[in-house]
Amino acid sequence: MTDQKRNRQLLLAQRPEGMPTEETFAYREVPVPEPGEGQVLVQTIYLSVDPYMRGRMSDQKSYVEPYQLNEVISGGIIGKVVESKSDRFHVGDKVVGMMGWQHYNAVDASEVRKVDDLIAPLSAYLSVLGMTGLTAYFGLLDIGQPKKGETVVVSGAAGAVGMVVGQIAKIQGARVVGIAGSDEKMDFLERELGFDRAINYKTADNLQKALEQACPDGVDVYFDNVGGPISDAVMNLLNDYARIPLCGAISSYNRTDGDLGPRVQTKLLKSRALIKAFIVGDYAHRFSEGIRDLAQWLSEGRLQYQETIVEGFENVPQAFFGLFKGENLGKQLVKISEPGE
Ligand SMILES: NC(=O)c1ccc[n+]([C@@H]2O[C@H](COP(=O)([O-])OP(=O)(O)OC[C@H]3O[C@@H](n4cnc5c(N)ncnc54)[C@H](OP(=O)(O)O)[C@@H]3O)[C@@H](O)[C@H]2O)c1
């Protein structure tokens, strides 16, 4: 059925210095792969672009292997099974997994998981019920451990991870302050998601003062998505025994100058704060617990989610660049084909 079709792929053409550009990527067309025994052929429906991918475009040692030059980039994908040589999947099943940025992937059945679009729309399995929702859930609840009445600050607050963090903190009874990069995002956080305060770090005359006003009782939990000067300012307001889940540092991902900032040791010592970096994969053995609670809160209307969906494979690079320019509200996804096509 697929032999007439070509498989379009997106490769890493160059390792970027600083901000990635169109030259970072290259397209290639190859024949659609034939699934082997025990494999399925998956047609891509949604593809996830994520800030961590910037790290994989460099060849520095990290918690995950770098992408290889002239090879297909990979990431989270939702697709449908169009051919199956596994008794675990039927044609038409919708699946999620780590797959290549291409229209068709032939993968072992064990590498994908079936998803049910009756429980939530397909795209949610790459957002609130996927990697970013789980990152928010485990980072906040396991490391941040917010208590009723405490102040939780989250940076990158209007992004995929950040907006789930703030809402879970509200569910735990905390007071929530979000930091984001536009007035529209501030409005969304305060009006739609019930954040107590939002700060626009791009327009605040004095971010430190704005934070002090927004956090009159100091900061008990700082969920750090961005690093850099925003985190420097929050670190000055830590209460005794504050907890800092260190999730990401997007402000430094494209920097080439080493990103030196104020030293944090004294601030941590004075407040006896805990700072702990984590990777969502550390919690893989508990994912079903996280998905259960997130799905429950969704069904009760206590948790909302937002996605920015760009259409078309040719727009994947732009969608990726947009993460570093703040173009997304909630999870950035790219729609590659219709679920029913
Ligand atoms: N530890 C883990 O396992 C894990 C898993 C997922 C994600 N992460 C990390 O969590 C963070 C958020 O990821 P996400 O997937 O939810 O992305 P996201 O927040 O949906 O998108 C990135 C957002 O970062 C903000 N941003 C970009 N450049 C910035 C800068 N220089 N300073 C401050 N903010 C900036 C932009 O929003 P504004 O308009 O507000 O600037 C942009 O919308 C990233 O650092 C990511 O690497 C970690």
Side-chain angles (χ1 to χ4, degrees):
M1 65 174 290
T2 48
D3 50 356
Q4 312 293 324
K5 297 188 185 159
R6 304 284 291 167
N7 190 22
R8 229 168 152 226
Q9 306 180 312
L10 195 45
L11 319 177
L12 180 67
Q14 280 177 16
R15 298 205 182 278
E17 285 289 318
M19 177 76 180
T21 64
E22 295 283 351
E23 284 67 46
T24 305
F25 303 98
Y27 286 92
R28 178 171 73 187
E29 272 196 11
V30 296
V32 173
E34 279 290 328
E37 267 322 298
Q39 289 198 320
V40 286
L41 184 66
V42 179
Q43 182 179 2
T44 302
I45 299 172
Y46 291 107
L47 168 162
S48 174
V49 291
D50 293 276
Y52 79 86
M53 293 168 169
R54 173 62 186 84
R56 296 192 68 185
M57 291 173 186
S58 304
D59 61 358
Q60 285 155 10
K61 185 174 179 296
S62 184
Y63 58 87
V64 59
E65 288 296 303
Y67 294 126
Q68 296 303 308
L69 279 177
N70 299 315
E71 288 194 8
V72 180
I73 293 171
S74 59
I77 280 180
I78 298 268
K80 70 171 176 227
V81 174
V82 290
E83 209 176 320
S84 178
K85 290 195 176 152
S86 158
D87 48 17
R88 291 173 55 184
F89 293 100
H90 301 291
V91 168
D93 284 349
K94 309 295 186 322
V95 293
V96 62
M98 295 294 285
M99 290 178 262
W101 280 6
Q102 52 191 343
H103 284 273
Y104 296 94
N105 281 278
V107 291
D108 289 345
S110 59
E111 287 175 38
V112 290
R113 179 168 59 85
K114 194 168 164 180
V115 294
D116 186 349
D117 54 1
L118 295 176
I119 295 177
L122 278 181
S123 57
Y125 292 94
L126 287 178
S127 60
V128 66
L129 297 179
M131 189 270 281
T132 51
L134 291 166
T135 301
Y137 179 92
F138 288 109
L140 182 69
L141 295 179
D142 197 55
I143 302 171
Q145 301 188 10
K147 316 272 180 315
K148 194 165 189 290
E150 286 191 331
T151 300
V152 173
V153 174
V154 54
S155 53
V161 174
M163 70 169 60
V164 179
V165 167
Q167 293 182 84
I168 299 177
K170 287 300 300 177
I171 291 170
Q172 304 303 309
R175 186 168 176 281
V176 176
V177 175
I179 308 171
S182 76
D183 289 350
E184 292 72 25
K185 290 182 178 183
M186 282 174 67
D187 278 356
F188 184 82
L189 295 174
E190 289 181 349
R191 292 186 191 175
E192 302 293 327
L193 301 187
F195 281 43
D196 296 280
R197 289 286 298 278
I199 297 172
N200 180 345
Y201 72 93
K202 288 188 179 160
T203 56
D205 287 337
N206 182 327
L207 180 62
Q208 189 68 61
K209 278 220 169 68
L211 270 165
E212 282 165 18
Q213 281 165 4
C215 307
D217 300 324
V219 174
D220 300 294
V221 178
Y222 172 44
F223 194 104
D224 191 358
N225 276 319
V226 305
I230 294 173
S231 298
D232 295 340
V234 182
M235 291 282 198
N236 291 325
L237 300 177
L238 297 179
N239 287 334
D240 284 354
Y241 305 107
R243 287 83 64 198
I244 306 168
L246 174 46
C247 177
I250 192 167
S251 70
S252 68
Y253 294 173
N254 290 315
R255 290 185 69 141
T256 51
D257 61 0
D259 189 24
L260 279 184
R263 313 281 185 207
V264 294
Q265 284 84 348
T266 321
K267 293 170 192 177
L268 295 174
L269 200 55
K270 281 183 185 159
S271 58
R272 285 148 290 172
L274 169 82
I275 182 164
K276 181 164 186 337
F278 73 101
I279 298 302
V280 63
D282 300 344
Y283 293 94
H285 59 293
R286 292 178 54 195
F287 278 177
S288 55
E289 171 196 335
I291 293 170
R292 181 199 63 206
D293 285 354
L294 291 162
Q296 173 79 22
W297 290 327
L298 274 180
S299 70
E300 293 169 353
R302 301 169 81 192
L303 178 63
Q304 296 182 49
Y305 70 102
Q306 183 74 27
E307 293 157 348
T308 300
I309 302 182
V310 166
E311 302 226 355
F313 197 49
E314 66 285 5
N315 292 319
V316 174
Q318 288 301 332
F320 179 68
F321 305 149
L323 295 170
F324 301 98
K325 300 189 248 170
E327 286 172 0
N328 59 307
L329 180 66
K331 181 78 194 87
Q332 180 68 60
L333 298 173
V334 185
K335 189 172 183 185
I336 308 298
S337 69
E338 291 297 329
E341 241 173 39

